[in-house]
Amino acid sequence: GHLSIFLAQPPWQFSMRVLAFAAAIASATLIRKQVPDDMKNVGEDRMTDSFGGSTLTPPCSSVQCNMPECQAPFEKKEDGTCCGYCWAPDHVVGLDRHKATKSMYEADLCPSAPASCRGPGGGAQCFAPSCDEGYEAHCVPGACCATCQYKGF
């Protein structure tokens, strides 16, 4: 493979390649060391002041929170968010999956909809798409619900 290409070359040519590679690494190291350490944190873009404190603005410093009190069983959580939020575990506040209303915009699933569109835990809910002129509702293979497709499709 590739090793035979290097071995087939005259020894001086291989040595020249190794020497060129070593020179490139040495010059990159010298360029990196040109800025003295005591000058790396100077100017408007510095990230710490002379005492080691951050000069960056905290991310939430300009966010004004108007968080109301959380009603039981919810409690306020502040885990990395600026303002916090009301939270309760799932076993305390169950997930409501009921269908509250019927809508004139509801539509049936596509006839060729895969089984995953029908459940478990309730099926997909489709709505009649509002298609622009030149487009019509069409079921594409593998889709749960119709989408707008160009009439010439």
Side-chain angles (χ1 to χ4, degrees):
H2 297 291
L3 183 59
S4 62
I5 293 171
F6 285 109
L7 295 176
Q9 298 174 356
W12 64 268
Q13 199 172 23
F14 180 74
S15 299
M16 291 301 288
R17 286 184 185 197
V18 171
L19 185 60
F21 180 74
I25 289 183
S27 64
T29 304
L30 288 174
I31 290 171
R32 193 174 337 150
K33 290 186 177 184
Q34 286 180 350
V35 178
D37 286 339
D38 61 340
M39 298 298 289
K40 287 184 180 177
N41 194 24
V42 176
E44 294 178 16
D45 296 330
R46 68 183 185 195
M47 300 196 30
T48 57
D49 61 19
S50 58
F51 298 104
S54 176
T55 59
L56 300 175
T57 304
C60 296
S61 64
S62 62
V63 176
Q64 295 180 351
C65 300
N66 189 15
M67 179 78 179
E69 292 297 316
C70 297
Q71 302 295 316
F74 294 95
E75 58 187 47
K76 186 175 181 181
K77 285 211 143 200
E78 296 179 16
D79 54 357
T81 62
C82 291
C83 299
Y85 55 94
C86 295
W87 178 86
D90 289 341
H91 72 279
V92 173
V93 178
L95 182 62
D96 186 2
R97 293 182 187 257
H98 75 282
K99 290 186 178 181
T101 61
K102 287 288 182 185
S103 169
M104 65 181 186
Y105 300 106
E106 285 185 47
D108 292 331
L109 291 174
C110 290
S112 63
S116 61
C117 298
R118 290 175 175 71
Q125 178 64 57
C126 297
F127 295 92
S130 177
C131 300
D132 286 336
E133 189 176 323
Y135 291 81
E136 63 186 355
H138 180 74
C139 288
V140 296
C144 294
C145 305
T147 57
C148 294
Q149 299 287 322
Y150 183 66
K151 285 185 180 179
F153 177 69

